[in-house]
Amino acid sequence: MSDFTTVDLLRHGEPEGGQMFRGAVDDPLSPRGWEQMRAAVGDCRVWDAVVSSPLIRCAAFASELAGHLGQPLDIVEGFKELSFGAWEGRSVADVHAADPQALAYFWRDPIAHPIPGGEPVDAFDQRIGSAWDALLNCYRGRHVLLVAHGGTIRMVLRRL
């Protein structure tokens, strides 16, 4: 076993329904999203395990890949995307038209200006941190693929 743990981060491809605030909304990958995921992985077969968010836009591809690799799949609740509360399922343009100030304030300082009814960003950060620490502990010395979301990946990268 290596002394180093390597974790490759892969964001899900395009979901059905187009671009929108999609945290808890559990849309599957579109055909284009499946193509994007398969192209991103290509012929790479280096992973000892695949870890995924439980949301279908991540988990379906992760399951397919783990099966092809003959490696374990670990679905981790903690790697879900930020819940966007009142903005769930709405486009950025729609949210901006309805309340441009709230959107601008959130983008400027998401801690001080949370999404109405959404998951507080500091709680999201703590959730991702706990899941990340558990992943590193569980897969110490191995090479792992984490299939997740843009916000989730940003929180992991913030830690690094």
Side-chain angles (χ1 to χ4, degrees), residues 57-72:
R57 60 189 177 270
C58 296
F61 176 77
S63 177
E64 175 187 276
L65 180 62
H68 285 131
L69 296 173
Q71 297 292 359

Side-chain angles (χ1 to χ4, degrees), residues 4-22:
F4 298 99
T5 303
T6 302
V7 181
D8 295 327
L9 306 171
L10 179 63
R11 183 184 181 271
H12 62 77
E14 175 188 87
E16 289 184 4
Q19 289 187 335
M20 66 177 76
F21 286 104
R22 181 185 283 108

